Amino acid sequence: MSEFTARRLSATGDEWAVATPHSTASDAAADVLRGGGNAVDAALAAAAMLTVVYPNQCSVGGDLLALVGTADGEVRFVNAAGRAPRAVDAGEIAARYESMPVLGALPVTVPGAVAGWAALADTWGTRPLSAALGPAEAAAHEGVPVAPGLALDLRREEQILARDPGMRGVFFADGDVLAAGRTLRQPALARTLASIAAQGPSALYGGDVGQSLVRLLAEQGSAMTVEDLAEHTVRLSGTHSAVYDGVDHLSSGDNSQGLYFLQGLRALDVVRSVRGTLDPLGRDAGVVASVLAQAAADRDRFCCDPEWGEAAPAEELLSEPYVRRIAERAMAGTPVELLGQRKASGDTVAVVATDRDGTWVSLIQSVFHCFGSGVLDPGTGVVLHNRGASFSLDPASPNRLAGGKRPLHTLMPVLVREGGELVGAHGVMGGRAQPQVHTHLALHLAAGATAERAVSAPRWVLGAMEAGVTEGAGTVKAERDVPTAGVRAIEGGGFDVELIDAHDDGVGHGQLVRRAGGADGPRLVAATDPRADGSAVAG
């Protein structure tokens, strides 16, 4: 029996718990926790391993956002999102394209993941970053079995990957993409991880690794420079929150879409006060869809890099009058215009963990679209993300492309608090639908579902999950096991419904760690989504 058929979808423990979308990464984190490391040390070991075993979804060449909560009640947001090259010519790109390119060098922004790892290790870790990178380096050198989810994405994206020499050199054998179970070896990536372990993040931000990336990008028309990499900074800040049914959900602000998850959740709490416990798979599905669509519309209007001074104030978007209007429009059945939708195929990984000392971590890292920009640097083995595809080329948009600017970001970590005490870490994959997947999890848990049921329950999502997608406006993708009552409620809310297979990763996947009460007192519960290749481990 393979590790993927034998994986543990839920686990309970008294001292620590972790869940990730790949069993090998979960085991790497669990080894750290068993050995006395804390939740941040464990999350970093898992994050590094995921760049090796899930390169379709995350990479050394991607971005990272995280929340870390400590036993004293402090919660901090780690924003490692990268910026567009300083010298980018937005006018020239707008003259050539109707919307921001999705593939190739132009949508590549500064990769922030490695800087995020270093900030986490330096601020909260008990071990050096090099300790987290060791197991990942060994796995990249020795090889790992291709997971079913990676194999599926390799097949789906085969034509795009075949265009890039770096991708062909890593993910193809005998002219075909690697199948599930085949060995994936990444010696160049192993050397890159070893360089970062030895030199720290400077290996990428100005050192040999970064210089190799810049040379490749320059050959393909990017304005990225070594100075762009060297100037990258990580921002540590506070969080925003929303209470739903007495439970406080914390998420990220800045250029992330966490604010719009919280906005929707506050509006749904208004709906709940009128209708009672909400069922997103039954009679309330249409109202929930309307609220989520309105929050998504606000994200597309307002979300941008706040350092450019054009972001809508969080206090206004989360204010009681504002969210009440959203709730009232949803309950009145007022039509909401949706962006188009295309099935997403993997873009993000979430690592959630807690430890015996009361540290909680929700870490999200990503290459944005599946395999990011479709560019892999042969010299470093690094897949480059395409986070810049989220920029707008509309000169009137707050999120318009500009040199040194961070794009609208889909990543959004979540922590949960009850009675002033942290009790949960949530993380999801789902591109622009991440707020929706988080909302499904929150509503199921509030209705009494177990953590395992919350991540495995039938799901639906609406609107565009990827940048640059406009077809199929108004479509909601619903898994075939969404109850008929839920489908009819969504249609009654004015949305078209397209049925997809059950447990399809096109509706995202989630990871949960929660502290739950029981007959013998509170215990830690971890759960992983069956739509991925992960496992939950607790001790």
Side-chain angles (χ1 to χ4, degrees), residues 51-52 55-56 58-61 103-105 108 150 154 160-172 184-189 191-192 212-213 216-217 219-220 367 371-385:
T51 68
V52 176
N56 50 329
C58 68
S59 167
V60 167
L103 297 174
V108 178
L150 172 56
L154 285 168
I160 291 174
L161 301 179
R163 303 173 194 166
D164 182 72
M167 293 287 188
R168 291 198 305 271
V170 172
F171 299 116
F172 285 65
L184 169 63
R185 291 186 175 87
Q186 301 171 83
L189 180 59
R191 291 193 295 271
T192 291
S212 180
L213 298 179
L216 178 67
L217 289 169
E219 291 170 2
Q220 300 190 19
V367 289
F371 293 102
S373 63
V375 176
L376 187 153
D377 175 30
T380 62
V382 171
V383 175
L384 288 160
H385 67 171

Side-chain angles (χ1 to χ4, degrees), residues 468-495:
V469 179
T470 57
E471 68 267 23
T475 299
V476 170
K477 299 274 188 176
E479 292 181 310
R480 293 189 182 278
D481 49 354
V482 171
T484 301
V487 172
R488 289 177 177 168
I490 295 169
E491 292 172 336
F495 304 98

Side-chain angles (χ1 to χ4, degrees), residues 104-285:
L106 291 180
V108 178
T109 50
V110 172
V114 172
W117 292 349
L120 287 161
D122 292 346
T123 309
W124 294 282
T126 66
R127 301 178 176 190
L129 177 59
S130 58
L133 301 184
E137 177 196 342
H141 178 74
E142 296 166 7
V144 295
V146 172
L150 172 56
L152 179 62
D153 281 348
L154 285 168
R155 182 62 62 191
R156 285 193 289 211
E157 306 296 328
E158 180 176 4
Q159 292 185 354
I160 291 174
L161 301 179
R163 303 173 194 166
D164 182 72
M167 293 287 188
R168 291 198 305 271
V170 172
F171 299 116
F172 285 65
D174 301 320
D176 199 4
V177 291
L178 297 174
R182 292 286 299 273
T183 300
L184 169 63
R185 291 186 175 87
Q186 301 171 83
L189 180 59
R191 291 193 295 271
T192 291
L193 291 168
S195 294
I196 296 169
Q199 303 171 34
S202 64
L204 192 152
Y205 301 105
D208 290 347
V209 174
Q211 291 172 24
S212 180
L213 298 179
V214 167
R215 283 195 297 270
L216 178 67
L217 289 169
E219 291 170 2
Q220 300 190 19
S222 170
M224 188 78 72
T225 65
V226 173
E227 289 73 25
D228 288 317
L229 300 181
E231 291 172 0
H232 178 64
T233 58
V234 177
R235 172 175 156 84
L236 302 184
S237 64
T239 62
H240 300 281
S241 68
V243 174
Y244 180 84
D245 199 15
V247 177
D248 195 15
H249 296 75
L250 310 174
S251 194
S252 49
D254 284 359
N255 57 316
S256 88
Q257 61 177 345
L259 195 66
Y260 304 92
F261 158 63
L262 300 173
Q263 180 192 71
L265 204 59
R266 287 191 179 196
L268 287 171
D269 199 47
V270 175
V271 177
R272 181 198 60 80
S273 69
V274 175
R275 299 174 66 127
T277 300
L278 298 182
D279 179 7
L281 299 178
R283 67 176 183 116
D284 304 305

Side-chain angles (χ1 to χ4, degrees), residues 202-492:
S202 64
L204 192 152
Y205 301 105
D208 290 347
V209 174
Q211 291 172 24
S212 180
L213 298 179
V214 167
R215 283 195 297 270
L216 178 67
L217 289 169
E219 291 170 2
Q220 300 190 19
S222 170
M224 188 78 72
T225 65
V226 173
E227 289 73 25
D228 288 317
L229 300 181
E231 291 172 0
H232 178 64
T233 58
V234 177
R235 172 175 156 84
L236 302 184
S237 64
T239 62
H240 300 281
S241 68
V243 174
Y244 180 84
D245 199 15
V247 177
D248 195 15
H249 296 75
L250 310 174
S251 194
S252 49
D254 284 359
N255 57 316
S256 88
Q257 61 177 345
L259 195 66
Y260 304 92
F261 158 63
L262 300 173
Q263 180 192 71
L265 204 59
R266 287 191 179 196
L268 287 171
D269 199 47
V270 175
V271 177
R272 181 198 60 80
S273 69
V274 175
R275 299 174 66 127
T277 300
L278 298 182
D279 179 7
L281 299 178
R283 67 176 183 116
D284 304 305
V287 174
V288 174
S290 176
V291 166
L292 294 175
Q294 292 180 70
D298 271 357
R299 172 203 61 206
D300 294 332
R301 281 195 296 266
F302 302 126
C303 188
C304 65
D305 187 343
E307 292 181 6
W308 287 68
E310 297 175 305
E315 295 77 12
E316 176 184 344
L317 294 173
L318 297 178
S319 69
E320 195 276 337
Y322 197 96
V323 299
R324 183 168 292 278
R325 285 196 296 272
I326 293 175
E328 289 171 348
R329 284 196 293 266
M331 289 188 285
T334 304
V336 180
E337 183 179 354
L338 283 176
L339 293 174
Q341 157 137 21
R342 187 176 86 191
K343 185 176 180 180
S345 55
D347 63 337
T348 299
V349 295
V351 176
V352 292
T354 189
D355 60 29
R356 57 183 60 83
D357 297 325
T359 301
W360 294 77
V361 181
S362 174
L363 181 157
I364 321 293
Q365 62 185 26
S366 167
V367 289
F368 196 22
H369 289 197
C370 187
F371 293 102
S373 63
V375 176
L376 187 153
D377 175 30
T380 62
V382 171
V383 175
L384 288 160
H385 67 171
N386 64 333
R387 186 56 62 177
S390 281
F391 278 121
S392 172
L393 296 182
D394 179 356
S397 170
N399 185 44
R400 65 186 176 275
L401 174 64
K405 187 176 184 178
R406 295 176 296 181
L408 177 158
H409 223 291
T410 59
L411 302 190
M412 46 158 298
V414 171
L415 295 182
V416 180
R417 190 163 51 197
E418 287 189 69
E421 180 181 0
L422 288 168
V423 297
H426 299 185
V428 309
M429 164 274 216
R432 292 181 177 234
Q434 285 185 47
Q436 301 175 47
V437 182
H438 273 294
T439 299
H440 280 275
L441 300 182
L443 296 184
H444 287 314
L445 291 167
T450 63
E452 183 175 5
R453 173 60 181 168
V455 296
S456 64
R459 195 177 297 149
W460 51 263
V461 298
L462 56 90
M465 293 180 72
E466 298 176 324
V469 179
T470 57
E471 68 267 23
T475 299
V476 170
K477 299 274 188 176
E479 292 181 310
R480 293 189 182 278
D481 49 354
V482 171
T484 301
V487 172
R488 289 177 177 168
I490 295 169
E491 292 172 336

